[in-house]
PDB file of all heavy atoms in Angstrom:
ATOM      1  N   SER A   1      -4.285   4.248  -5.431  1.00 89.00           N
ATOM      2  CA  SER A   1      -3.290   4.188  -4.388  1.00 89.00           C
ATOM      3  C   SER A   1      -3.410   2.986  -3.503  1.00 89.00           C
ATOM      4  O   SER A   1      -2.435   2.403  -3.081  1.00 89.00           O
ATOM      5  CB  SER A   1      -3.304   5.501  -3.563  1.00 89.00           C
ATOM      6  OG  SER A   1      -2.954   6.603  -4.355  1.00 89.00           O
ATOM      7  N   VAL A   2      -4.685   2.616  -3.177  1.00 90.00           N
ATOM      8  CA  VAL A   2      -4.831   1.455  -2.221  1.00 90.00           C
ATOM      9  C   VAL A   2      -4.275   0.180  -2.930  1.00 90.00           C
ATOM     10  O   VAL A   2      -3.551  -0.599  -2.309  1.00 90.00           O
ATOM     11  CB  VAL A   2      -6.318   1.258  -1.948  1.00 90.00           C
ATOM     12  CG1 VAL A   2      -6.531  -0.021  -1.162  1.00 90.00           C
ATOM     13  CG2 VAL A   2      -6.850   2.485  -1.144  1.00 90.00           C
ATOM     14  N   GLN A   3      -4.634   0.018  -4.226  1.00 93.00           N
ATOM     15  CA  GLN A   3      -4.031  -1.119  -4.923  1.00 93.00           C
ATOM     16  C   GLN A   3      -2.519  -1.120  -4.971  1.00 93.00           C
ATOM     17  O   GLN A   3      -1.875  -2.156  -4.754  1.00 93.00           O
ATOM     18  CB  GLN A   3      -4.538  -1.159  -6.362  1.00 93.00           C
ATOM     19  CG  GLN A   3      -4.007  -2.332  -7.211  1.00 93.00           C
ATOM     20  CD  GLN A   3      -4.223  -2.178  -8.705  1.00 93.00           C
ATOM     21  OE1 GLN A   3      -4.737  -1.213  -9.153  1.00 93.00           O
ATOM     22  NE2 GLN A   3      -3.798  -3.195  -9.448  1.00 93.00           N
ATOM     23  N   ASN A   4      -1.977   0.060  -5.154  1.00 94.00           N
ATOM     24  CA  ASN A   4      -0.465   0.191  -5.165  1.00 94.00           C
ATOM     25  C   ASN A   4       0.142  -0.295  -3.873  1.00 94.00           C
ATOM     26  O   ASN A   4       1.126  -1.012  -3.915  1.00 94.00           O
ATOM     27  CB  ASN A   4      -0.101   1.665  -5.430  1.00 94.00           C
ATOM     28  CG  ASN A   4      -0.521   2.153  -6.773  1.00 94.00           C
ATOM     29  OD1 ASN A   4      -0.975   1.394  -7.603  1.00 94.00           O
ATOM     30  ND2 ASN A   4      -0.329   3.444  -6.954  1.00 94.00           N
ATOM     31  N   VAL A   5      -0.471   0.105  -2.758  1.00 96.00           N
ATOM     32  CA  VAL A   5       0.076  -0.375  -1.472  1.00 96.00           C
ATOM     33  C   VAL A   5      -0.169  -1.837  -1.277  1.00 96.00           C
ATOM     34  O   VAL A   5       0.778  -2.527  -0.797  1.00 96.00           O
ATOM     35  CB  VAL A   5      -0.649   0.486  -0.284  1.00 96.00           C
ATOM     36  CG1 VAL A   5      -0.166  -0.056   1.105  1.00 96.00           C
ATOM     37  CG2 VAL A   5      -0.326   1.929  -0.401  1.00 96.00           C
ATOM     38  N   MET A   6      -1.341  -2.329  -1.625  1.00 96.00           N
ATOM     39  CA  MET A   6      -1.599  -3.760  -1.410  1.00 96.00           C
ATOM     40  C   MET A   6      -0.625  -4.665  -2.181  1.00 96.00           C
ATOM     41  O   MET A   6      -0.267  -5.764  -1.699  1.00 96.00           O
ATOM     42  CB  MET A   6      -3.001  -4.083  -1.874  1.00 96.00           C
ATOM     43  CG  MET A   6      -4.089  -3.473  -0.993  1.00 96.00           C
ATOM     44  SD  MET A   6      -4.155  -4.052   0.684  1.00 96.00           S
ATOM     45  CE  MET A   6      -4.873  -5.744   0.364  1.00 96.00           C
ATOM     46  N   GLU A   7      -0.209  -4.192  -3.324  1.00 96.00           N
ATOM     47  CA  GLU A   7       0.681  -5.003  -4.156  1.00 96.00           C
ATOM     48  C   GLU A   7       2.095  -5.167  -3.559  1.00 96.00           C
ATOM     49  O   GLU A   7       2.865  -6.015  -4.043  1.00 96.00           O
ATOM     50  CB  GLU A   7       0.732  -4.499  -5.587  1.00 96.00           C
ATOM     51  CG  GLU A   7      -0.535  -4.684  -6.329  1.00 96.00           C
ATOM     52  CD  GLU A   7      -0.325  -4.599  -7.870  1.00 96.00           C
ATOM     53  OE1 GLU A   7       0.784  -4.672  -8.323  1.00 96.00           O
ATOM     54  OE2 GLU A   7      -1.364  -4.541  -8.593  1.00 96.00           O
ATOM     55  N   THR A   8       2.422  -4.414  -2.584  1.00 96.00           N
ATOM     56  CA  THR A   8       3.760  -4.606  -1.936  1.00 96.00           C
ATOM     57  C   THR A   8       3.891  -5.988  -1.336  1.00 96.00           C
ATOM     58  O   THR A   8       4.987  -6.534  -1.142  1.00 96.00           O
ATOM     59  CB  THR A   8       4.043  -3.573  -0.900  1.00 96.00           C
ATOM     60  OG1 THR A   8       3.033  -3.624   0.155  1.00 96.00           O
ATOM     61  CG2 THR A   8       4.084  -2.134  -1.429  1.00 96.00           C
ATOM     62  N   ARG A   9       2.723  -6.612  -1.025  1.00 95.00           N
ATOM     63  CA  ARG A   9       2.743  -7.929  -0.418  1.00 95.00           C
ATOM     64  C   ARG A   9       3.329  -8.976  -1.332  1.00 95.00           C
ATOM     65  O   ARG A   9       3.877 -10.008  -0.837  1.00 95.00           O
ATOM     66  CB  ARG A   9       1.331  -8.356  -0.004  1.00 95.00           C
ATOM     67  CG  ARG A   9       0.685  -7.372   1.013  1.00 95.00           C
ATOM     68  CD  ARG A   9      -0.747  -7.819   1.406  1.00 95.00           C
ATOM     69  NE  ARG A   9      -1.593  -7.894   0.281  1.00 95.00           N
ATOM     70  CZ  ARG A   9      -2.888  -8.272   0.307  1.00 95.00           C
ATOM     71  NH1 ARG A   9      -3.402  -8.571   1.508  1.00 95.00           N
ATOM     72  NH2 ARG A   9      -3.663  -8.248  -0.753  1.00 95.00           N
ATOM     73  N   ALA A  10       3.263  -8.809  -2.626  1.00 94.00           N
ATOM     74  CA  ALA A  10       3.688  -9.821  -3.579  1.00 94.00           C
ATOM     75  C   ALA A  10       4.803  -9.364  -4.505  1.00 94.00           C
ATOM     76  O   ALA A  10       5.369 -10.074  -5.329  1.00 94.00           O
ATOM     77  CB  ALA A  10       2.501 -10.194  -4.499  1.00 94.00           C
ATOM     78  N   ARG A  11       5.221  -8.069  -4.320  1.00 95.00           N
ATOM     79  CA  ARG A  11       6.280  -7.581  -5.170  1.00 95.00           C
ATOM     80  C   ARG A  11       7.658  -7.630  -4.579  1.00 95.00           C
ATOM     81  O   ARG A  11       7.796  -7.772  -3.334  1.00 95.00           O
ATOM     82  CB  ARG A  11       6.011  -6.074  -5.504  1.00 95.00           C
ATOM     83  CG  ARG A  11       4.645  -5.822  -6.278  1.00 95.00           C
ATOM     84  CD  ARG A  11       4.823  -6.099  -7.720  1.00 95.00           C
ATOM     85  NE  ARG A  11       3.653  -5.672  -8.455  1.00 95.00           N
ATOM     86  CZ  ARG A  11       3.622  -5.274  -9.750  1.00 95.00           C
ATOM     87  NH1 ARG A  11       4.739  -5.296 -10.452  1.00 95.00           N
ATOM     88  NH2 ARG A  11       2.516  -4.941 -10.343  1.00 95.00           N
ATOM     89  N   GLY A  12       8.711  -7.430  -5.368  1.00 94.00           N
ATOM     90  CA  GLY A  12      10.066  -7.498  -4.925  1.00 94.00           C
ATOM     91  C   GLY A  12      10.769  -6.186  -4.927  1.00 94.00           C
ATOM     92  O   GLY A  12      10.143  -5.173  -4.821  1.00 94.00           O
ATOM     93  N   GLY A  13      12.106  -6.250  -5.015  1.00 94.00           N
ATOM     94  CA  GLY A  13      12.934  -5.036  -4.869  1.00 94.00           C
ATOM     95  C   GLY A  13      12.906  -4.080  -6.051  1.00 94.00           C
ATOM     96  O   GLY A  13      13.534  -3.045  -6.081  1.00 94.00           O
ATOM     97  N   ASP A  14      12.148  -4.548  -7.151  1.00 96.00           N
ATOM     98  CA  ASP A  14      12.129  -3.713  -8.349  1.00 96.00           C
ATOM     99  C   ASP A  14      10.850  -2.935  -8.465  1.00 96.00           C
ATOM    100  O   ASP A  14      10.496  -2.420  -9.516  1.00 96.00           O
ATOM    101  CB  ASP A  14      12.293  -4.614  -9.623  1.00 96.00           C
ATOM    102  CG  ASP A  14      11.217  -5.613  -9.733  1.00 96.00           C
ATOM    103  OD1 ASP A  14      10.425  -5.839  -8.748  1.00 96.00           O
ATOM    104  OD2 ASP A  14      11.010  -6.213 -10.834  1.00 96.00           O
ATOM    105  N   TYR A  15      10.102  -2.823  -7.315  1.00 98.00           N
ATOM    106  CA  TYR A  15       8.714  -2.259  -7.373  1.00 98.00           C
ATOM    107  C   TYR A  15       8.752  -0.814  -6.725  1.00 98.00           C
ATOM    108  O   TYR A  15       9.188  -0.653  -5.626  1.00 98.00           O
ATOM    109  CB  TYR A  15       7.793  -3.110  -6.609  1.00 98.00           C
ATOM    110  CG  TYR A  15       6.384  -2.614  -6.507  1.00 98.00           C
ATOM    111  CD1 TYR A  15       5.653  -2.349  -7.670  1.00 98.00           C
ATOM    112  CD2 TYR A  15       5.686  -2.467  -5.294  1.00 98.00           C
ATOM    113  CE1 TYR A  15       4.288  -1.979  -7.601  1.00 98.00           C
ATOM    114  CE2 TYR A  15       4.365  -2.054  -5.221  1.00 98.00           C
ATOM    115  CZ  TYR A  15       3.682  -1.799  -6.417  1.00 98.00           C
ATOM    116  OH  TYR A  15       2.335  -1.412  -6.309  1.00 98.00           O
ATOM    117  N   VAL A  16       8.328   0.185  -7.526  1.00 98.00           N
ATOM    118  CA  VAL A  16       8.117   1.499  -7.000  1.00 98.00           C
ATOM    119  C   VAL A  16       6.647   1.903  -7.294  1.00 98.00           C
ATOM    120  O   VAL A  16       6.134   1.556  -8.357  1.00 98.00           O
ATOM    121  CB  VAL A  16       9.076   2.493  -7.798  1.00 98.00           C
ATOM    122  CG1 VAL A  16       8.783   3.910  -7.383  1.00 98.00           C
ATOM    123  CG2 VAL A  16      10.542   2.129  -7.487  1.00 98.00           C
ATOM    124  N   PHE A  17       6.047   2.570  -6.361  1.00 97.00           N
ATOM    125  CA  PHE A  17       4.662   2.946  -6.491  1.00 97.00           C
ATOM    126  C   PHE A  17       4.430   4.288  -5.830  1.00 97.00           C
ATOM    127  O   PHE A  17       5.231   4.780  -5.037  1.00 97.00           O
ATOM    128  CB  PHE A  17       3.745   1.909  -5.784  1.00 97.00           C
ATOM    129  CG  PHE A  17       3.941   1.739  -4.340  1.00 97.00           C
ATOM    130  CD1 PHE A  17       3.063   2.387  -3.487  1.00 97.00           C
ATOM    131  CD2 PHE A  17       4.940   1.006  -3.734  1.00 97.00           C
ATOM    132  CE1 PHE A  17       3.191   2.302  -2.046  1.00 97.00           C
ATOM    133  CE2 PHE A  17       5.086   0.933  -2.397  1.00 97.00           C
ATOM    134  CZ  PHE A  17       4.253   1.588  -1.560  1.00 97.00           C
ATOM    135  N   THR A  18       3.296   4.856  -6.153  1.00 96.00           N
ATOM    136  CA  THR A  18       2.948   6.166  -5.565  1.00 96.00           C
ATOM    137  C   THR A  18       1.666   6.098  -4.771  1.00 96.00           C
ATOM    138  O   THR A  18       0.737   5.285  -5.067  1.00 96.00           O
ATOM    139  CB  THR A  18       2.730   7.246  -6.703  1.00 96.00           C
ATOM    140  OG1 THR A  18       1.628   6.857  -7.527  1.00 96.00           O
ATOM    141  CG2 THR A  18       3.954   7.378  -7.597  1.00 96.00           C
ATOM    142  N   THR A  19       1.677   6.859  -3.708  1.00 94.00           N
ATOM    143  CA  THR A  19       0.454   6.881  -2.790  1.00 94.00           C
ATOM    144  C   THR A  19       0.647   8.060  -1.817  1.00 94.00           C
ATOM    145  O   THR A  19       1.753   8.460  -1.572  1.00 94.00           O
ATOM    146  CB  THR A  19       0.371   5.558  -2.026  1.00 94.00           C
ATOM    147  OG1 THR A  19      -0.898   5.497  -1.383  1.00 94.00           O
ATOM    148  CG2 THR A  19       1.432   5.397  -0.969  1.00 94.00           C
ATOM    149  N   PRO A  20      -0.427   8.584  -1.261  1.00 93.00           N
ATOM    150  CA  PRO A  20      -0.318   9.553  -0.162  1.00 93.00           C
ATOM    151  C   PRO A  20       0.298   8.872   1.070  1.00 93.00           C
ATOM    152  O   PRO A  20      -0.015   7.755   1.418  1.00 93.00           O
ATOM    153  CB  PRO A  20      -1.767   9.969   0.052  1.00 93.00           C
ATOM    154  CG  PRO A  20      -2.485   9.609  -1.156  1.00 93.00           C
ATOM    155  CD  PRO A  20      -1.846   8.370  -1.688  1.00 93.00           C
ATOM    156  N   PRO A  21       1.166   9.599   1.824  1.00 95.00           N
ATOM    157  CA  PRO A  21       1.769   8.992   3.027  1.00 95.00           C
ATOM    158  C   PRO A  21       0.707   8.589   4.063  1.00 95.00           C
ATOM    159  O   PRO A  21       0.970   7.545   4.751  1.00 95.00           O
ATOM    160  CB  PRO A  21       2.596  10.165   3.585  1.00 95.00           C
ATOM    161  CG  PRO A  21       2.933  11.014   2.352  1.00 95.00           C
ATOM    162  CD  PRO A  21       1.747  10.911   1.466  1.00 95.00           C
ATOM    163  N   ALA A  22      -0.403   9.187   4.055  1.00 91.00           N
ATOM    164  CA  ALA A  22      -1.482   8.799   5.014  1.00 91.00           C
ATOM    165  C   ALA A  22      -1.894   7.387   4.835  1.00 91.00           C
ATOM    166  O   ALA A  22      -2.198   6.633   5.789  1.00 91.00           O
ATOM    167  CB  ALA A  22      -2.663   9.749   4.909  1.00 91.00           C
ATOM    168  N   LEU A  23      -1.939   6.908   3.557  1.00 93.00           N
ATOM    169  CA  LEU A  23      -2.360   5.547   3.254  1.00 93.00           C
ATOM    170  C   LEU A  23      -1.333   4.500   3.732  1.00 93.00           C
ATOM    171  O   LEU A  23      -1.705   3.393   4.217  1.00 93.00           O
ATOM    172  CB  LEU A  23      -2.577   5.341   1.742  1.00 93.00           C
ATOM    173  CG  LEU A  23      -3.963   5.708   1.181  1.00 93.00           C
ATOM    174  CD1 LEU A  23      -4.081   5.241  -0.275  1.00 93.00           C
ATOM    175  CD2 LEU A  23      -5.085   5.099   2.021  1.00 93.00           C
ATOM    176  N   VAL A  24      -0.049   4.884   3.690  1.00 96.00           N
ATOM    177  CA  VAL A  24       0.951   3.981   4.182  1.00 96.00           C
ATOM    178  C   VAL A  24       0.792   3.815   5.680  1.00 96.00           C
ATOM    179  O   VAL A  24       0.878   2.712   6.202  1.00 96.00           O
ATOM    180  CB  VAL A  24       2.387   4.525   3.847  1.00 96.00           C
ATOM    181  CG1 VAL A  24       3.451   3.701   4.513  1.00 96.00           C
ATOM    182  CG2 VAL A  24       2.572   4.568   2.349  1.00 96.00           C
ATOM    183  N   GLY A  25       0.509   4.918   6.311  1.00 95.00           N
ATOM    184  CA  GLY A  25       0.278   4.819   7.808  1.00 95.00           C
ATOM    185  C   GLY A  25      -0.921   3.967   8.161  1.00 95.00           C
ATOM    186  O   GLY A  25      -0.897   3.140   9.067  1.00 95.00           O
ATOM    187  N   LEU A  26      -2.008   4.015   7.317  1.00 95.00           N
ATOM    188  CA  LEU A  26      -3.174   3.200   7.591  1.00 95.00           C
ATOM    189  C   LEU A  26      -2.875   1.729   7.357  1.00 95.00           C
ATOM    190  O   LEU A  26      -3.299   0.860   8.107  1.00 95.00           O
ATOM    191  CB  LEU A  26      -4.314   3.644   6.641  1.00 95.00           C
ATOM    192  CG  LEU A  26      -4.946   5.033   6.941  1.00 95.00           C
ATOM    193  CD1 LEU A  26      -6.004   5.389   5.879  1.00 95.00           C
ATOM    194  CD2 LEU A  26      -5.661   5.029   8.347  1.00 95.00           C
ATOM    195  N   ALA A  27      -2.084   1.442   6.304  1.00 96.00           N
ATOM    196  CA  ALA A  27      -1.691   0.079   6.007  1.00 96.00           C
ATOM    197  C   ALA A  27      -0.849  -0.469   7.069  1.00 96.00           C
ATOM    198  O   ALA A  27      -1.137  -1.654   7.525  1.00 96.00           O
ATOM    199  CB  ALA A  27      -0.971   0.050   4.625  1.00 96.00           C
ATOM    200  N   GLN A  28       0.084   0.240   7.559  1.00 96.00           N
ATOM    201  CA  GLN A  28       0.942  -0.250   8.623  1.00 96.00           C
ATOM    202  C   GLN A  28       0.200  -0.447   9.953  1.00 96.00           C
ATOM    203  O   GLN A  28       0.665  -1.247  10.806  1.00 96.00           O
ATOM    204  CB  GLN A  28       2.141   0.678   8.752  1.00 96.00           C
ATOM    205  CG  GLN A  28       3.093   0.666   7.555  1.00 96.00           C
ATOM    206  CD  GLN A  28       4.203   1.663   7.556  1.00 96.00           C
ATOM    207  OE1 GLN A  28       4.151   2.672   8.281  1.00 96.00           O
ATOM    208  NE2 GLN A  28       5.229   1.390   6.760  1.00 96.00           N
ATOM    209  N   GLY A  29      -0.903   0.279  10.112  1.00 95.00           N
ATOM    210  CA  GLY A  29      -1.679   0.181  11.308  1.00 95.00           C
ATOM    211  C   GLY A  29      -2.840  -0.777  11.219  1.00 95.00           C
ATOM    212  O   GLY A  29      -3.560  -1.002  12.151  1.00 95.00           O
ATOM    213  N   GLY A  30      -3.050  -1.329   9.960  1.00 95.00           N
ATOM    214  CA  GLY A  30      -4.185  -2.209   9.663  1.00 95.00           C
ATOM    215  C   GLY A  30      -5.524  -1.543   9.880  1.00 95.00           C
ATOM    216  O   GLY A  30      -6.487  -2.175  10.333  1.00 95.00           O
ATOM    217  N   LYS A  31      -5.628  -0.239   9.451  1.00 95.00           N
ATOM    218  CA  LYS A  31      -6.814   0.532   9.677  1.00 95.00           C
ATOM    219  C   LYS A  31      -7.551   0.762   8.393  1.00 95.00           C
ATOM    220  O   LYS A  31      -6.998   0.645   7.336  1.00 95.00           O
ATOM    221  CB  LYS A  31      -6.525   1.828  10.406  1.00 95.00           C
ATOM    222  CG  LYS A  31      -5.873   1.652  11.794  1.00 95.00           C
ATOM    223  CD  LYS A  31      -5.451   2.977  12.394  1.00 95.00           C
ATOM    224  CE  LYS A  31      -4.820   2.809  13.770  1.00 95.00           C
ATOM    225  NZ  LYS A  31      -4.344   4.159  14.331  1.00 95.00           N
ATOM    226  N   ALA A  32      -8.841   1.222   8.563  1.00 92.00           N
ATOM    227  CA  ALA A  32      -9.690   1.654   7.476  1.00 92.00           C
ATOM    228  C   ALA A  32      -9.752   0.578   6.393  1.00 92.00           C
ATOM    229  O   ALA A  32     -10.092  -0.534   6.668  1.00 92.00           O
ATOM    230  CB  ALA A  32      -9.217   2.988   6.939  1.00 92.00           C
ATOM    231  N   MET A  33      -9.409   0.933   5.125  1.00 91.00           N
ATOM    232  CA  MET A  33      -9.536   0.018   4.014  1.00 91.00           C
ATOM    233  C   MET A  33      -8.480  -1.170   4.146  1.00 91.00           C
ATOM    234  O   MET A  33      -8.571  -2.146   3.368  1.00 91.00           O
ATOM    235  CB  MET A  33      -9.337   0.644   2.672  1.00 91.00           C
ATOM    236  CG  MET A  33      -7.962   1.336   2.403  1.00 91.00           C
ATOM    237  SD  MET A  33      -7.712   2.886   3.357  1.00 91.00           S
ATOM    238  CE  MET A  33      -8.797   3.993   2.483  1.00 91.00           C
ATOM    239  N   PHE A  34      -7.536  -1.077   5.077  1.00 94.00           N
ATOM    240  CA  PHE A  34      -6.609  -2.194   5.238  1.00 94.00           C
ATOM    241  C   PHE A  34      -6.878  -3.061   6.481  1.00 94.00           C
ATOM    242  O   PHE A  34      -6.159  -3.963   6.760  1.00 94.00           O
ATOM    243  CB  PHE A  34      -5.176  -1.572   5.451  1.00 94.00           C
ATOM    244  CG  PHE A  34      -4.703  -0.769   4.249  1.00 94.00           C
ATOM    245  CD1 PHE A  34      -4.853   0.597   4.208  1.00 94.00           C
ATOM    246  CD2 PHE A  34      -4.266  -1.416   3.090  1.00 94.00           C
ATOM    247  CE1 PHE A  34      -4.414   1.318   3.129  1.00 94.00           C
ATOM    248  CE2 PHE A  34      -3.865  -0.705   1.982  1.00 94.00           C
ATOM    249  CZ  PHE A  34      -3.952   0.641   1.976  1.00 94.00           C
ATOM    250  N   GLU A  35      -8.034  -2.732   7.099  1.00 93.00           N
ATOM    251  CA  GLU A  35      -8.436  -3.578   8.296  1.00 93.00           C
ATOM    252  C   GLU A  35      -8.645  -5.040   7.880  1.00 93.00           C
ATOM    253  O   GLU A  35      -9.382  -5.354   6.888  1.00 93.00           O
ATOM    254  CB  GLU A  35      -9.741  -3.053   8.867  1.00 93.00           C
ATOM    255  CG  GLU A  35     -10.117  -3.728  10.169  1.00 93.00           C
ATOM    256  CD  GLU A  35     -11.347  -3.087  10.846  1.00 93.00           C
ATOM    257  OE1 GLU A  35     -11.826  -2.053  10.336  1.00 93.00           O
ATOM    258  OE2 GLU A  35     -11.769  -3.653  11.887  1.00 93.00           O
TER     259      GLU A  35
END
């Protein structure tokens, strides 16, 4: 899931991925593994 979220940085509008909602929150806050 972490890789899935990280790849949004380079992907376009044809990208769909799966992850727990908690990881999205961490990514948007720049916390934990996304620091």
Side-chain angles (χ1 to χ4, degrees):
S1 296
V2 174
Q3 179 193 2
N4 295 351
V5 175
M6 292 294 287
E7 286 199 16
T8 60
R9 299 180 301 178
R11 298 278 190 153
D14 61 347
Y15 182 54
V16 174
F17 65 97
T18 63
T19 192
L23 273 190
V24 174
L26 290 174
Q28 292 174 339
K31 298 176 180 177
M33 64 285 290
F34 298 100
E35 187 175 353

